[in-house]
Amino acid sequence: MQFRTQIPISKSNNPIDYNSKILSVGSCFAENMAEKFDYFKFQNETNPFGIIFNPVSIEKLFSRICKKELFMEKDVFFHNERWHSFEVHSDLSNADRQELLESLNKAVTETNKKIKEATHIIITFGTSWIYRNLESREIAANCHKVPQKQFSKELLSVEVIQKSIQNTIDLIQTLNPDINFIFTISPVRHIKDGFTENQVSKSHLFTALHQVLKTHNYFPSYEIMMDELRDYRFYNEDMLHPNQIAIDYIWKLFSENYISQESISTMHEVDEIQKSLRHRSFNPESEQHQKFLAKLQQKITVLGENLPHIKF
């Protein structure tokens, strides 16, 4: 399916290649992009603390990571037979408190190291709406199905978001001053907040990012979804999340503008190998299929000699 690109996209001055090390964090759209990086065998780490939607919670996590502030017993709580932390996604929750703390602190240490090694960081913001714990007054990245009466729902102001984004940049640059930032706003609409409220939320993110974009890259995934893919045939059944056609198209535009030309040819090689690996023969014992497997293995070997980190 072909589209005429209408959204202007600035090409990166420091494009991603197969020697790049990428850290992707943020909303669920970050996971969609990370799946593409994984498929094409780029060196990519995604959401070490799970999906995080709002800028303040992202800042708080990077503050902990960059300063190596380990999680303590006071940072976790027990609810519905599992231990949780309001700072991370429920995917990391655990029935054992000590195991949770160990996994969280391992993620802090490892992510600190990955930031130092990373060449690019992609941060995807999802919403300006936050839930504040009434007892601690802290913003929760995830409420873990704790009763809503224990939180107040608030809309982050543009000023707070802008300061939070800049704080995040400053924190990361203390560890890695040469890292390349790519910001994007998730194309997923948070309709549970309301149609108007979702628009206000996204507009706060756009306005806050405006000043930051003078010195950092911005990829318009939200704009592409809203303006170029504005038909519901590009959505999943929930009519909120982009479907695979939309994800593939957004990835195509991203790769054309943010991945080096030399790496595009390697991506084609990887894609051919991935498709071949998924091929199922009607006669696996045939001579023809054995030749196919030998040729495939040769392609994998040659690619691995040039890029040892690529494993299939």
Side-chain angles (χ1 to χ4, degrees), residues 78-116:
F78 192 70
H79 179 68
N80 283 343
E81 301 182 11
R82 291 176 72 79
W83 288 91
H84 313 271
S85 169
F86 283 128
E87 295 182 40
V88 306
H89 195 270
S90 55
D91 284 349
L92 282 80
S93 298
N94 196 301
D96 184 277
R97 180 175 63 181
Q98 194 57 37
E99 286 184 10
L100 172 61
L101 288 171
E102 287 175 2
S103 64
L104 291 176
N105 290 330
K106 182 181 179 182
V108 168
T109 304
E110 290 183 351
T111 308
N112 180 284
K113 182 174 181 289
K114 289 185 183 301
I115 290 173
K116 293 175 182 176

Side-chain angles (χ1 to χ4, degrees), residues 186-218:
S186 171
V188 179
R189 292 169 297 156
H190 291 233
I191 299 304
K192 66 178 182 179
D193 296 319
F195 283 89
T196 302
E197 290 80 0
N198 170 73
Q199 292 297 87
V200 172
S201 167
K202 298 289 188 183
S203 69
H204 279 213
L205 295 175
F206 280 118
T207 307
L209 264 175
H210 181 70
Q211 294 300 318
V212 173
L213 298 182
K214 292 178 180 178
T215 52
H216 299 288
N217 290 308
Y218 174 74

Side-chain angles (χ1 to χ4, degrees), residues 63-80:
S63 177
R64 184 182 286 279
I65 293 162
C66 294
K67 296 174 183 177
K68 271 194 173 180
E69 294 177 351
L70 299 182
F71 285 84
M72 311 293 285
E73 290 187 4
K74 64 180 178 60
D75 299 314
V76 299
F77 67 96
F78 192 70
H79 179 68
N80 283 343

Side-chain angles (χ1 to χ4, degrees), residues 238-261:
D238 64 3
M239 298 300 178
L240 298 175
H241 291 79
N243 63 17
Q244 196 58 54
I245 296 172
I247 292 168
D248 290 345
Y249 179 68
I250 293 171
W251 169 259
K252 176 178 176 290
L253 296 185
F254 179 89
S255 58
E256 288 174 353
N257 292 278
Y258 284 89
I259 294 177
S260 70
Q261 194 60 45

Side-chain angles (χ1 to χ4, degrees), residues 267-281:
M267 286 173 59
H268 290 317
E269 290 181 48
V270 171
D271 188 35
E272 287 181 6
I273 292 172
Q274 293 278 42
K275 288 175 179 175
S276 295
L277 287 170
R278 295 178 181 182
H279 174 70
R280 293 293 175 264
S281 173

Side-chain angles (χ1 to χ4, degrees), residues 49-185:
F49 293 94
I51 295 169
I52 307 292
F53 295 98
N54 76 79
V56 172
S57 292
I58 290 174
E59 176 202 351
K60 187 173 182 179
L61 269 179
F62 274 114
S63 177
R64 184 182 286 279
I65 293 162
C66 294
K67 296 174 183 177
K68 271 194 173 180
E69 294 177 351
L70 299 182
F71 285 84
M72 311 293 285
E73 290 187 4
K74 64 180 178 60
D75 299 314
V76 299
F77 67 96
F78 192 70
H79 179 68
N80 283 343
E81 301 182 11
R82 291 176 72 79
W83 288 91
H84 313 271
S85 169
F86 283 128
E87 295 182 40
V88 306
H89 195 270
S90 55
D91 284 349
L92 282 80
S93 298
N94 196 301
D96 184 277
R97 180 175 63 181
Q98 194 57 37
E99 286 184 10
L100 172 61
L101 288 171
E102 287 175 2
S103 64
L104 291 176
N105 290 330
K106 182 181 179 182
V108 168
T109 304
E110 290 183 351
T111 308
N112 180 284
K113 182 174 181 289
K114 289 185 183 301
I115 290 173
K116 293 175 182 176
E117 298 172 347
T119 58
H120 297 76
I121 182 165
I122 304 173
I123 301 178
T124 304
F125 297 119
T127 183
S128 301
W129 289 102
I130 56 94
Y131 290 85
R132 190 182 299 277
N133 187 293
L134 294 175
E135 182 179 354
S136 68
R137 303 305 301 164
E138 293 291 331
I139 293 172
N142 192 296
C143 295
H144 304 291
K145 298 184 179 179
V146 171
Q148 191 168 348
K149 64 182 180 181
Q150 296 185 30
F151 302 90
S152 62
K153 183 178 180 180
E154 304 172 18
L155 182 68
L156 295 172
S157 70
V158 171
E159 292 74 21
V160 167
I161 296 171
Q162 186 174 326
K163 183 178 179 181
S164 182
I165 294 170
Q166 190 59 56
N167 287 345
T168 300
I169 292 169
D170 293 342
L171 283 161
I172 293 169
Q173 287 183 330
T174 60
L175 291 185
N176 186 343
D178 298 321
I179 199 167
N180 296 285
F181 288 87
I182 301 172
F183 290 98
T184 188
I185 291 175

